[in-house]
Amino acid sequence: IHYRLSFFFQHPQNITIPTLPWLLIFVSELILSFAWFLQQACRWRPVYRTVFPERLPADDKLPAIDVFICTADPNKEPSVEVMNTVISAMALDYPPEKLHVYISDDAGSDATLRCTKEAWNFAKYWVPFRRKYGLVTACPDVYFSSSENDNGDYKGSEFKAERKKMEVI
């Protein structure tokens, strides 16, 4: 800003550049500097948010939630990935009677229908398994493919046996 401003205080014989473009550039730099200054305000005093789970209402007072999962083409969106999303939505920590998961398939493909039936059969075992052992990961694909196992608090033989059974299903 000092450089642009010093241009106007030069002797008139030393000015070889037209004044109007220089003035437009100076005004635009002032506007951008002001915008940058305003943008820095959020960094001066950042907002920290905390979660208070004890303030959540009881399960019977929670609202019903509808989750819509849209898919169009099973060739572009693999059905396995879509079903992992469906199972993850079904495994949310929310009262099951208030959670509704819908799949919208614009292509109406048979592959998506068959995969939905298989995902529903798998979810009957996955969701209780996840809740029983307190697993953080809701997506079965991420859970079984990760190098770090999210085994919750259990490391016993019962957990390992059930985990192997889940891998087979």
Side-chain angles (χ1 to χ4, degrees):
I1 293 176
H2 178 268
Y3 173 72
R4 299 273 183 222
L5 197 57
S6 66
F7 171 80
F8 296 111
F9 296 110
Q10 291 179 6
H11 213 277
Q13 297 107 318
N14 295 342
I15 298 177
T16 56
I17 302 172
T19 307
L20 182 64
W22 196 267
L23 181 66
L24 291 175
I25 290 173
F26 178 65
V27 169
S28 65
E29 283 186 351
L30 276 177
I31 291 170
L32 289 173
S33 297
F34 181 70
W36 174 84
F37 183 76
L38 290 179
Q39 190 252 349
Q40 294 302 310
C42 64
R43 295 188 177 147
W44 294 333
R45 186 169 180 177
V47 176
Y48 295 104
R49 302 187 192 282
T50 55
V51 179
F52 300 100
E54 64 274 1
R55 293 184 185 174
L56 288 174
D59 285 353
D60 59 339
K61 293 185 180 183
L62 290 172
I65 292 181
D66 295 327
V67 179
F68 291 94
I69 300 169
C70 301
T71 182
D73 186 7
N75 295 327
K76 293 180 182 175
E77 299 172 323
S79 296
V80 173
E81 299 299 323
V82 173
M83 294 310 127
N84 272 310
T85 305
V86 170
I87 293 171
S88 296
M90 292 171 64
L92 289 173
D93 292 331
Y94 209 77
E97 64 276 357
K98 295 193 176 199
L99 179 67
H100 307 282
V101 180
Y102 299 97
I103 301 173
S104 172
D105 183 18
D106 291 343
S109 80
D110 292 334
T112 305
L113 179 63
R114 280 185 263 123
C115 286
T116 304
K117 289 179 182 177
E118 290 297 320
W120 182 75
N121 288 330
F122 178 74
K124 287 192 296 187
Y125 300 105
W126 171 253
V127 173
F129 172 76
R130 183 183 168 272
R131 288 191 179 145
K132 179 179 178 182
Y133 292 108
L135 303 178
V136 177
T137 307
C139 180
D141 186 39
V142 172
Y143 175 73
F144 290 116
S145 66
S146 67
S147 59
E148 293 181 18
N149 287 334
D150 172 23
N151 292 335
D153 295 333
Y154 298 92
K155 304 244 187 239
S157 60
E158 176 189 352
F159 172 78
K160 290 179 183 176
E162 284 194 45
R163 187 179 191 281
K164 282 188 182 184
K165 189 169 79 170
M166 291 299 300
E167 288 176 0
V168 172
I169 294 176

